[in-house]
Amino acid sequence: MAISKRKKAQYRRIAVYVLSVIALLVMVLVVDWGRLQNAMFQWDIVVEQFPDILTGAAKNTIIFTILGFAGGLSFGLLFALMRLSTVRPYRWFAATYIEIFRGIPLLVTLLILGFGIPIATGWRWPNPYLQGAVPLALVASAYMAETIRAGIEAVPKGQMEAARSLGMSYSRAMITIIIPQALRIIVPPLTNEFVLLIKDTSLISVLGVTAGTRDLARFGRDGVNSTANATPLIVAGLVYLAMTVPLTQLVAWMERREKAVSR
Amino acid sequence: MNADIVVNITNLNKSFGDNHVLRGIDLQVQRGEVVCIIGPSGSGKSTLLRCVNMLEMPTAGTVVVLGRELTDIDCDLDETRAHIGMVFQQFNLFPHMTALENVCVAQRKVLKRSAGEAATIAHDLLARVGLVEKDNAYPAQLSGGQQQRVAIARALAMNPDVMLFDEATSALDPELIGEVLQVMQSLAQEGMTMLVVTHEMGFAKGVADRVVFMDGGVIVEQGPPSQVISAPVEERTRAFLSSVLNH
């Protein structure tokens, strides 16, 4: 006797629910919650993290992110325009730059620029914030260049033609007509880029920054060392979430609104 | 050099790769003349128009507009383009600006007019194309016909010596075509020099001083509409006209 397709789908859905509940029950029963809380979430250690985790570590994470984003956006725009240029060497240079910095892991770039260059040349980073933020910005600019280029290319060709037919120069048309429209298109992906940067700043801690410039991840690790407990890392993770979740929700809202407008 | 010749095209050739779109076009347009270019799609009429303000770079030949040779490498294209108005099939209004800002932006950035002066001129021009109280509307809030009239006002704001219309009514719903043609007709009556690529035979017949029929990248036949449209000599012209007029 054959079961109908819809009946089958219904059974399958019920089976998934039942299995999920069983899995949840097994987890609750098997895990030693007391031990877990002892190792990862001791309330007195949580309280100890404040306010330094906000006034010091989170502040530094935000400084690194904003420096990295501002630098990445400026150079990203420059490389995007070079990629779209009619001058071939510009295109080659930008394409090579983008390939290199997207192809090397940020961790390696950080080590090369943060340690390698000073050792090789004797030159010293004038500021510990720059030591972390400059490599971050260079890598971010490679990713943002591609995002911005896609945004500019998404503006219909007729816009540039209309602007040029009115006597505007190429750069005038870019600044007044094309880039404002491209920016509207790329605000959601650029916000995503910002979220990625917040998380990527955690890698800067490998540069052995001073207590005054340590970021959230480093603060959490140092906390683990001093308390012999993982709680500080959990708190750091929660502070990251407090920064990233509102932004990803903002992106989701912008994308929903964009969909509603274009319908 | 005759000062009354606004557009002077000599032996114009244009290829896209292997596709030889324009094959030696010679065309002159006198000041105040309305020239309609007709022909089947793919005949090169839009490309010809786009070569007049160098949106397409000719492969060979010369284009002289207002005494400036645009095909000369030393020619300042931006300066000359400011004197050549263009209206596009897809309107190409700037969607992030209101109707008034669309008409103001090039006045401000290219002609360096003051904000107040540009706004006054823009407001008057919008009224002239029949758009009152639409100054603050964004293009998305306007109908196709209204958008195209804003586009005409935007081009007129530069005080052009010649206007190019590239199938200005082809993207419009049938009931909106009339309002745009009416604006174009009144422009023609005011003595504007116009080069019009169109499928509107009625407009060509009623408004054009001269009709140019193109096919296969060459000018097949040209003359007053009474001749080219009503009594064509060439077989290709007749075939095209009967296919256009019989439906």
Side-chain angles (χ1 to χ4, degrees):
Chain A
M1 217 210 55
I3 329 170
S4 75
K5 266 190 190 167
R6 285 167 59 195
K7 201 84 182 164
K8 225 190 263 177
Q10 202 178 17
Y11 287 151
R12 207 176 294 141
R13 207 170 312 133
I14 292 168
V16 168
Y17 283 130
V18 170
L19 282 176
S20 311
V21 170
I22 292 173
L24 202 67
L25 279 174
V26 168
M27 216 170 84
V28 169
L29 295 173
V30 166
V31 171
D32 182 346
W33 290 98
R35 187 172 157 196
L36 202 64
Q37 192 190 354
N38 201 37
M40 296 179 75
F41 205 80
Q42 286 188 23
W43 188 249
D44 50 330
I45 298 181
V46 171
V47 174
E48 243 171 54
Q49 306 304 311
F50 292 89
D52 284 5
I53 194 168
L54 296 181
T55 56
K59 190 193 78 187
N60 285 331
T61 288
I62 291 171
I63 289 174
F64 280 126
T65 308
I66 287 177
L67 287 177
F69 189 78
L73 191 62
S74 330
F75 283 100
L77 181 60
L78 179 70
F79 291 131
L81 292 174
M82 284 173 79
R83 280 275 270 151
L84 293 168
S85 168
T86 50
V87 184
R88 268 188 204 160
Y90 286 172
R91 290 209 303 267
W92 290 334
F93 177 82
T96 311
Y97 177 92
I98 291 166
E99 283 303 322
I100 288 175
F101 280 93
R102 287 203 309 177
I104 299 177
L106 174 59
L107 182 59
V108 175
T109 305
L110 273 167
L111 290 173
I112 291 174
L113 294 177
F115 286 145
I117 301 284
I119 290 170
T121 62
W123 178 77
R124 290 284 170 270
W125 284 93
N127 178 313
Y129 283 115
L130 290 182
Q131 187 184 9
V134 167
L136 195 66
L138 292 181
V139 174
S141 72
Y143 283 97
M144 286 198 231
E146 288 298 89
T147 306
I148 295 169
R149 181 178 66 96
I152 289 174
E153 284 181 334
V155 177
K157 233 179 85 202
Q159 293 290 310
M160 176 58 88
E161 291 183 346
R164 298 304 301 272
S165 81
L166 290 163
M168 292 188 204
S169 66
Y170 178 84
S171 46
R172 169 49 66 197
M174 268 290 168
I175 292 166
T176 316
I177 306 300
I178 307 298
I179 290 176
Q181 292 183 58
L183 276 182
R184 208 163 290 189
I185 299 169
I186 62 180
V187 163
L190 280 186
T191 312
N192 276 328
E193 188 65 36
F194 193 85
V195 171
L196 290 178
L197 273 180
I198 292 177
K199 296 185 292 172
D200 282 349
T201 54
S202 62
L203 290 169
I204 291 173
S205 60
V206 299
L207 295 179
V209 282
T210 60
T213 58
R214 63 185 174 169
D215 74 306
L216 266 173
R218 182 56 176 249
F219 186 88
R221 268 170 63 195
D222 290 353
V224 171
N225 289 339
S226 61
T227 61
N229 191 283
T231 304
L233 278 180
I234 298 293
V235 179
L238 290 174
V239 176
Y240 277 115
L241 281 179
M243 294 193 274
T244 55
V245 169
L247 286 171
T248 50
Q249 289 305 305
L250 179 69
V251 172
W253 175 77
M254 286 190 289
E255 280 169 352
R256 273 199 307 274
R257 196 190 51 168
E258 190 58 37
K259 229 180 237 168
V261 167
S262 62
R263 229 193 331 255
Chain B
M1 172 79 227
N2 188 339
D4 275 348
I5 295 178
V6 178
V7 178
N8 191 355
I9 295 167
T10 319
N11 191 29
L12 181 66
N13 278 269
K14 173 70 186 176
S15 301
F16 296 99
D18 290 339
N19 188 8
H20 202 165
V21 179
L22 297 178
R23 301 165 180 265
I25 301 278
D26 295 295
L27 185 68
Q28 292 190 339
V29 181
Q30 308 280 329
R31 186 168 292 283
E33 199 180 13
V34 176
V35 175
C36 280
I37 306 173
I38 61 171
S41 58
S43 58
K45 47 194 196 308
S46 278
T47 306
L48 169 61
L49 201 68
R50 290 161 59 83
C51 281
V52 175
N53 66 354
M54 302 289 278
L55 284 184
E56 301 292 354
M57 296 290 169
T59 314
T62 58
V63 177
V64 180
V65 179
L66 302 163
R68 301 166 177 84
E69 188 183 335
L70 299 187
T71 34
D72 180 349
I73 190 95
D74 291 327
C75 179
D76 182 348
L77 285 183
D78 296 333
E79 198 276 331
T80 313
R81 282 193 185 119
H83 296 276
I84 309 173
M86 184 154 193
V87 177
F88 300 84
Q89 184 176 352
Q90 299 298 338
F91 329 137
N92 295 347
L93 289 183
F94 307 132
H96 59 306
M97 297 180 179
T98 64
L100 194 80
E101 287 165 349
N102 263 281
V103 185
C104 283
V105 62
Q107 296 188 61
R108 302 267 291 121
K109 303 293 182 189
V110 178
L111 301 182
K112 308 291 176 197
R113 285 180 186 150
S114 72
E117 189 190 4
T120 309
I121 291 171
H123 182 80
D124 291 348
L125 278 171
L126 286 172
R128 189 170 143 200
V129 298
L131 293 170
V132 277
E133 289 170 11
K134 293 288 183 193
D135 286 7
N136 297 318
Y138 282 89
Q141 298 166 322
L142 299 172
S143 74
Q146 290 171 331
Q147 287 188 55
Q148 193 60 299
R149 286 185 280 151
V150 174
I152 294 173
R154 178 176 70 176
L156 290 176
M158 306 300 286
N159 301 116
D161 290 277
V162 52
M163 288 280 286
L164 312 175
F165 291 86
D166 187 6
E167 303 201 18
T169 58
S170 296
L172 294 174
D173 291 335
E175 75 271 24
L176 302 177
I177 290 175
E179 62 192 56
V180 172
L181 290 181
Q182 216 174 347
V183 171
M184 290 167 64
Q185 183 166 5
S186 69
L187 261 183
Q189 281 160 357
E190 288 160 27
M192 176 62 77
T193 311
M194 290 165 59
L195 206 50
V196 184
V197 168
T198 186
H199 291 293
E200 296 296 328
M201 291 306 140
F203 179 82
K205 207 167 174 177
V207 181
D209 298 307
R210 178 154 51 112
V211 174
V212 173
F213 173 70
M214 281 181 71
D215 192 14
V218 296
I219 294 176
V220 176
E221 182 170 0
Q222 60 175 312
S226 59
Q227 179 201 316
V228 177
I229 294 182
S230 306
V233 180
E234 297 289 330
E235 181 52 41
R236 277 197 280 178
T237 316
R238 256 183 256 146
F240 170 73
L241 285 170
S242 70
S243 74
V244 176
L245 297 175
N246 287 345
H247 64 230

